[in-house]
Amino acid sequence: MENKAEILNRNRRKMLFGIVMGFGFWHGSQTLKSFFPEQFTTPGISLFHLVVIILGLTGWIYFVFYCCRMVKMIAVLKKNIRLNQTLNDEFYQQIRMRSFYYAFMGVLITQALLLLFSFFFSVSARSVINLNILVCVITPIVSFILLDQDK
Amino acid sequence: MKLKNTLKVQRAKKNVTQQQLADIVCVTRKTINTIENGRFVPSTALALKLAHALDVTVEELFILEEAY
């Protein structure tokens, strides 16, 4: 029979994947919207507009669903200290720190690219904020998933 | 300076699986696996726990490659 910690560990990976996909679609669509605002001010619903709305809504549902599952798992871990220690052992603490390092690098690279982009095109503050939030949330989670992979 | 370990050998001597050892020292199986593969260097506390669980000394479990 499989160990409870192993099952929760595998579920954590799945939940993080779900959260990152959901947030990516939800906030990615918002970011796309902020980069092309004229598409949304024209009368009627364009195909682009429709795709962005559907992607955003699907992503939001996905994100909320997996966030709820994650909260439920955290509640289980809070009740079981030993299981919590096992799932957040020093290897996972280390990969969490490395994930934040990669996230910092990701944000730094995004700023540099945005600065470069701003020399040729006008970039709104909303687009910059949206893109930063997207990178800030996605990079550490993706890094964590990749570092946690079996090699 | 590379840190080598004999965790796999000591574990085999005691006939203990990665999962069983992980349960004893309160870590995940993956942590034991990454230590065995040399991808992760454990803290002193975890090294002591592993040595205690396998009934060996820390020096028997972890060896600095440069010294040999």
Side-chain angles (χ1 to χ4, degrees):
Chain A
M1 206 180 92
E2 206 176 5
N3 188 287
K4 195 175 180 185
E6 287 305 309
I7 297 168
L8 283 175
N9 198 19
R10 206 179 49 236
N11 285 349
R12 175 169 64 183
R13 267 178 67 91
K14 277 184 195 167
M15 282 178 230
L16 285 174
F17 189 74
I19 286 172
V20 89
M21 289 297 285
F23 192 84
F25 279 118
W26 170 39
H27 215 80
S29 67
Q30 296 302 309
T31 309
L32 209 62
K33 200 172 147 185
S34 67
F35 270 99
F36 305 100
E38 70 282 355
Q39 294 278 343
F40 297 90
T41 47
T42 49
I45 296 177
S46 65
L47 182 67
F48 178 74
H49 194 162
L50 200 68
V51 167
V52 165
I53 289 171
I54 291 169
L55 277 181
L57 196 65
T58 315
W60 184 81
I61 293 166
Y62 225 72
F63 177 71
V64 170
F65 173 73
Y66 280 103
C67 274
C68 289
R69 281 189 64 185
M70 187 60 97
V71 169
K72 208 174 147 189
M73 187 178 137
I74 291 168
V76 170
L77 289 180
K78 274 195 176 165
K79 282 179 193 158
N80 194 333
I81 298 164
R82 192 180 159 89
L83 201 59
N84 194 3
Q85 275 177 351
T86 306
L87 276 180
N88 294 303
D89 64 16
E90 54 187 71
F91 171 68
Y92 283 96
Q93 284 173 25
Q94 195 199 59
I95 66 169
R96 194 172 297 138
M97 283 204 310
R98 281 173 69 193
S99 303
F100 281 112
Y101 165 76
Y102 291 129
F104 174 73
M105 295 309 286
V107 172
L108 214 61
I109 291 166
T110 308
Q111 305 312 307
L113 291 175
L114 277 170
L115 184 69
L116 194 72
F117 192 74
S118 70
F119 289 135
F120 307 101
F121 309 97
S122 69
V123 189
S124 70
R126 196 186 168 91
S127 308
V128 173
I129 293 166
N130 270 324
L131 195 62
N132 273 325
I133 292 171
L134 191 68
V135 173
C136 283
V137 173
I138 285 181
T139 332
I141 302 176
V142 170
S143 306
F144 187 90
I145 294 168
L146 292 176
L147 290 168
D148 188 26
Q149 258 182 348
D150 277 315
K151 280 181 187 169
Chain B
M1 202 154 31
K2 203 182 168 192
L3 190 74
K4 272 177 74 177
N5 71 75
T6 59
L7 193 60
K8 202 172 181 174
V9 178
Q10 300 294 348
R11 200 168 50 74
K13 274 185 190 171
K14 295 273 172 197
N15 204 19
V16 176
T17 63
Q18 283 187 344
Q19 187 62 68
Q20 285 167 336
L21 184 60
D23 289 341
I24 296 167
V25 296
C26 223
V27 295
T28 56
R29 189 200 51 80
K30 196 171 273 178
T31 303
I32 300 293
N33 185 260
T34 50
I35 295 170
E36 280 186 6
N37 295 336
R39 277 177 58 214
F40 172 63
V41 177
S43 68
T44 316
L46 184 55
L48 283 163
K49 275 187 196 175
L50 288 168
H52 187 256
L54 293 166
D55 207 17
V56 289
T57 61
V58 177
E59 287 84 356
E60 281 176 271
L61 214 51
F62 297 96
I63 308 141
L64 272 178
E65 211 171 33
E66 206 183 58
Y68 290 87

